[in-house]
Amino acid sequence: MTTISAPGKVHLIGEHSVVYGKPAIIAAVGLRCHVDAEKSDNVIIESADFGNAEYGLEEIFEIEKKVADLWKKGNSTNNFSALFEYVKTDKTMPLLISAGVALKKAGSKGGIKLKIKSEIPIGSGMGSSSAIAVTISKAAAEIYGREFSKEEINSTAFEIEKINHGNPSGGDNSACCYGGFIWFQKKQPKNIITPFMANAPEIFDKFLLLNVGRPVKTTGELVQAVRDLPEGFRIPRLLTLEKLTHEMKEALGKKDTNGVKDAINDAQQMLSELGVSTDKIDKIASDVRNLGGAAKLCGAGGGGTVLCFHENSEELKKLLKKTGFAYWDAELGAEGVRIERL
Ligand code: MEV
């Protein structure tokens, strides 16, 4: 049996604007998804979060073909609702699709048994689906003897993510695959994925992640809601997020803690204006800001993870404890996808 793991991720800055070709700074986090994988005649899924299922290989490739067709239709009409409805027909569907895409890419003639255990809260802006996509892509390649590079694993994971979310930027899966910190920009013909030099441990070590609960809306729905905003309202805020991303990069380079905090707080303001925050997140962000720190939502928003920073971690922890929600040390810059056991 082979065990693969991949980390979750958080956007330090740049979610949503990254969908429109603006840069984002994304960090892998300490929470990981683990997959035990072995060869099997069929495709067998075991997951506490998604349930268990067993399908024949032919059926899996039929599902894979069906969702690929639905994606193409969605892409040509800019409406992925038929795809999302189909994916929702079975709780295990996201994992079955992941297995189908990964096995096809690995050119396998056999199936796979996958036991998935993830520490990453589902649908909470921490890249749970990307971490799964990356681990399953790597697992299928490993057990069928394909020596895929990280770039190839990432491209398979991106195919899976497109089926999960319609037209994602590809930033989430890249962060989960490569790990560390990345400067990510969606570009034709090739995305820019640059390791971001994280030479400010005194800043990075002070980040905490608070989970305010699973969002009601999916990433695809929240991205669509931003797209549906009038251009005149949306574009200036996306441009501000772009500017803030550059300012954050500069502040991190200079180890300018106040500059980092300003970028985070202003980004939260922009995301809130774009309608992807919640009253709860706005309140927590304002409390952290009043304490002298910084906080913003992570990923698509609508709930989920809040990235919090304060020079005094103990003071910040006291405040977060009062919210009643679970929080973790972010452990920013965690290692990307790796083989745990061969
Ligand atoms: C989701 O984690 C991040 C978004 O920017 C979507 C994307 O990048 O595809 C909201």
Side-chain angles (χ1 to χ4, degrees), residues 9 130-131 133-134 153-155 157-159 161 168-179 182 184:
K9 63 83 209 173
S130 285
V134 168
I153 298 296
N154 197 32
S155 119
F158 184 50
E159 290 307 308
E161 281 288 85
S169 63
D172 291 18
N173 49 278
S174 302
C176 299
C177 185
Y178 293 100
I182 59 168
F184 179 89

Tab-separated table of all heavy atoms in Angstrom, residues 9 130-131 133-134 153-155 157-159 161 168-179 182 184:
chain	number	residue	atom	x	y	z
A	9	LYS	N	-4.223	24.782	2.021
A	9	LYS	CA	-3.593	26.073	1.668
A	9	LYS	C	-4.429	27.230	2.206
A	9	LYS	O	-5.620	27.059	2.510
A	9	LYS	CB	-3.448	26.209	0.159
A	9	LYS	CG	-4.785	26.238	-0.622
A	9	LYS	CD	-5.453	27.572	-0.683
A	9	LYS	CE	-6.954	27.468	-0.785
A	9	LYS	NZ	-7.671	28.724	-0.678
A	130	SER	N	-8.695	20.646	-3.284
A	130	SER	CA	-7.425	20.628	-4.019
A	130	SER	C	-6.461	19.616	-3.435
A	130	SER	O	-5.762	18.916	-4.174
A	130	SER	CB	-6.756	22.001	-3.949
A	130	SER	OG	-7.407	22.877	-4.795
A	131	ALA	N	-6.421	19.547	-2.093
A	131	ALA	CA	-5.502	18.592	-1.453
A	131	ALA	C	-5.897	17.165	-1.834
A	131	ALA	O	-5.039	16.317	-2.109
A	131	ALA	CB	-5.518	18.787	0.055
A	133	ALA	N	-7.520	16.319	-4.619
A	133	ALA	CA	-7.207	16.157	-6.049
A	133	ALA	C	-5.708	15.858	-6.243
A	133	ALA	O	-5.334	14.991	-7.037
A	133	ALA	CB	-7.603	17.424	-6.808
A	134	VAL	N	-4.884	16.563	-5.494
A	134	VAL	CA	-3.430	16.374	-5.636
A	134	VAL	C	-3.013	14.989	-5.119
A	134	VAL	O	-2.250	14.275	-5.782
A	134	VAL	CB	-2.668	17.501	-4.883
A	134	VAL	CG1	-1.195	17.178	-4.766
A	134	VAL	CG2	-2.856	18.843	-5.592
A	153	ILE	N	1.563	16.220	-12.003
A	153	ILE	CA	0.570	15.937	-10.942
A	153	ILE	C	-0.364	17.146	-10.801
A	153	ILE	O	-1.587	17.005	-10.705
A	153	ILE	CB	1.283	15.680	-9.568
A	153	ILE	CG1	2.198	14.455	-9.649
A	153	ILE	CG2	0.282	15.555	-8.418
A	153	ILE	CD1	1.516	13.152	-9.907
A	154	ASN	N	0.244	18.325	-10.831
A	154	ASN	CA	-0.548	19.548	-10.680
A	154	ASN	C	-1.537	19.721	-11.822
A	154	ASN	O	-2.666	20.154	-11.622
A	154	ASN	CB	0.404	20.753	-10.595
A	154	ASN	CG	-0.284	21.975	-10.042
A	154	ASN	OD1	-1.184	21.853	-9.212
A	154	ASN	ND2	0.117	23.148	-10.493
A	155	SER	N	-1.111	19.345	-13.020
A	155	SER	CA	-2.019	19.517	-14.155
A	155	SER	C	-3.182	18.514	-14.072
A	155	SER	O	-4.323	18.852	-14.391
A	155	SER	CB	-1.219	19.448	-15.465
A	155	SER	OG	-1.625	18.401	-16.261
A	157	ALA	N	-4.391	17.389	-11.212
A	157	ALA	CA	-5.223	17.917	-10.116
A	157	ALA	C	-6.070	19.092	-10.614
A	157	ALA	O	-7.231	19.243	-10.217
A	157	ALA	CB	-4.334	18.352	-8.948
A	158	PHE	N	-5.515	19.885	-11.513
A	158	PHE	CA	-6.263	21.028	-12.048
A	158	PHE	C	-7.466	20.542	-12.878
A	158	PHE	O	-8.561	21.115	-12.806
A	158	PHE	CB	-5.340	21.919	-12.888
A	158	PHE	CG	-6.012	23.161	-13.395
A	158	PHE	CD1	-6.721	23.986	-12.544
A	158	PHE	CD2	-5.935	23.516	-14.738
A	158	PHE	CE1	-7.350	25.148	-13.009
A	158	PHE	CE2	-6.560	24.653	-15.212
A	158	PHE	CZ	-7.272	25.473	-14.347
A	159	GLU	N	-7.266	19.443	-13.647
A	159	GLU	CA	-8.397	18.867	-14.405
A	159	GLU	C	-9.520	18.488	-13.450
A	159	GLU	O	-10.697	18.706	-13.723
A	159	GLU	CB	-7.948	17.610	-15.184
A	159	GLU	CG	-7.025	17.884	-16.351
A	159	GLU	CD	-7.590	18.922	-17.303
A	159	GLU	OE1	-8.740	18.753	-17.729
A	159	GLU	OE2	-6.885	19.915	-17.590
A	161	GLU	N	-10.026	19.723	-10.401
A	161	GLU	CA	-10.570	20.939	-9.802
A	161	GLU	C	-11.545	21.656	-10.738
A	161	GLU	O	-12.509	22.281	-10.295
A	161	GLU	CB	-9.423	21.887	-9.417
A	161	GLU	CG	-8.747	21.476	-8.116
A	161	GLU	CD	-9.639	21.757	-6.919
A	161	GLU	OE1	-10.490	20.892	-6.600
A	161	GLU	OE2	-9.518	22.821	-6.320
A	168	PRO	N	-11.786	27.269	-12.077
A	168	PRO	CA	-10.938	27.817	-11.007
A	168	PRO	C	-9.655	28.396	-11.578
A	168	PRO	O	-9.298	28.119	-12.726
A	168	PRO	CB	-10.640	26.592	-10.139
A	168	PRO	CG	-10.718	25.438	-11.086
A	168	PRO	CD	-11.742	25.811	-12.122
A	169	SER	N	-8.944	29.166	-10.753
A	169	SER	CA	-7.705	29.770	-11.248
A	169	SER	C	-6.584	28.745	-11.363
A	169	SER	O	-5.671	28.906	-12.174
A	169	SER	CB	-7.269	30.878	-10.287
A	169	SER	OG	-6.970	30.323	-9.017
A	170	GLY	N	-6.636	27.717	-10.521
A	170	GLY	CA	-5.519	26.749	-10.475
A	170	GLY	C	-4.545	27.065	-9.352
A	170	GLY	O	-3.595	26.321	-9.112
A	171	GLY	N	-4.794	28.161	-8.641
A	171	GLY	CA	-3.899	28.536	-7.542
A	171	GLY	C	-3.959	27.553	-6.381
A	171	GLY	O	-2.929	27.186	-5.810
A	172	ASP	N	-5.161	27.109	-6.044
A	172	ASP	CA	-5.314	26.223	-4.875
A	172	ASP	C	-4.531	24.928	-5.067
A	172	ASP	O	-3.742	24.528	-4.202
A	172	ASP	CB	-6.796	25.865	-4.659
A	172	ASP	CG	-7.627	27.047	-4.201
A	172	ASP	OD1	-7.176	28.190	-4.361
A	172	ASP	OD2	-8.740	26.816	-3.689
A	173	ASN	N	-4.759	24.256	-6.206
A	173	ASN	CA	-4.072	22.970	-6.406
A	173	ASN	C	-2.559	23.161	-6.499
A	173	ASN	O	-1.783	22.329	-6.045
A	173	ASN	CB	-4.624	22.206	-7.619
A	173	ASN	CG	-4.732	23.032	-8.868
A	173	ASN	OD1	-5.698	23.769	-9.047
A	173	ASN	ND2	-3.730	22.932	-9.724
A	174	SER	N	-2.135	24.319	-7.060
A	174	SER	CA	-0.683	24.561	-7.182
A	174	SER	C	-0.049	24.675	-5.796
A	174	SER	O	1.023	24.123	-5.542
A	174	SER	CB	-0.409	25.829	-7.982
A	174	SER	OG	-0.996	25.722	-9.253
A	175	ALA	N	-0.734	25.394	-4.887
A	175	ALA	CA	-0.187	25.543	-3.530
A	175	ALA	C	-0.137	24.189	-2.822
A	175	ALA	O	0.846	23.873	-2.142
A	175	ALA	CB	-1.033	26.533	-2.734
A	176	CYS	N	-1.196	23.378	-2.991
A	176	CYS	CA	-1.215	22.064	-2.331
A	176	CYS	C	-0.167	21.128	-2.941
A	176	CYS	O	0.383	20.267	-2.262
A	176	CYS	CB	-2.596	21.422	-2.452
A	176	CYS	SG	-3.897	22.394	-1.672
A	177	CYS	N	0.095	21.278	-4.213
A	177	CYS	CA	1.056	20.393	-4.883
A	177	CYS	C	2.499	20.793	-4.554
A	177	CYS	O	3.297	19.986	-4.090
A	177	CYS	CB	0.812	20.443	-6.389
A	177	CYS	SG	1.842	19.300	-7.316
A	178	TYR	N	2.823	22.060	-4.757
A	178	TYR	CA	4.219	22.501	-4.576
A	178	TYR	C	4.552	22.780	-3.111
A	178	TYR	O	5.713	22.685	-2.704
A	178	TYR	CB	4.507	23.745	-5.419
A	178	TYR	CG	4.466	23.465	-6.905
A	178	TYR	CD1	3.354	23.787	-7.666
A	178	TYR	CD2	5.546	22.848	-7.534
A	178	TYR	CE1	3.316	23.509	-9.029
A	178	TYR	CE2	5.515	22.576	-8.898
A	178	TYR	CZ	4.396	22.906	-9.636
A	178	TYR	OH	4.366	22.624	-10.980
A	179	GLY	N	3.556	23.182	-2.322
A	179	GLY	CA	3.803	23.513	-0.919
A	179	GLY	C	4.548	24.833	-0.784
A	179	GLY	O	4.717	25.582	-1.742
A	182	ILE	N	3.663	30.338	-2.630
A	182	ILE	CA	3.788	30.601	-4.069
A	182	ILE	C	3.176	31.957	-4.434
A	182	ILE	O	2.204	32.404	-3.832
A	182	ILE	CB	3.165	29.489	-4.960
A	182	ILE	CG1	1.666	29.303	-4.673
A	182	ILE	CG2	3.916	28.178	-4.821
A	182	ILE	CD1	0.953	28.445	-5.723
A	184	PHE	N	1.245	33.248	-7.424
A	184	PHE	CA	0.519	32.558	-8.499
A	184	PHE	C	-0.227	33.565	-9.362
A	184	PHE	O	-0.885	34.467	-8.860
A	184	PHE	CB	-0.499	31.573	-7.901
A	184	PHE	CG	-1.297	30.860	-8.958
A	184	PHE	CD1	-0.845	29.676	-9.512
A	184	PHE	CD2	-2.498	31.392	-9.424
A	184	PHE	CE1	-1.568	29.036	-10.517
A	184	PHE	CE2	-3.223	30.765	-10.424
A	184	PHE	CZ	-2.755	29.581	-10.965
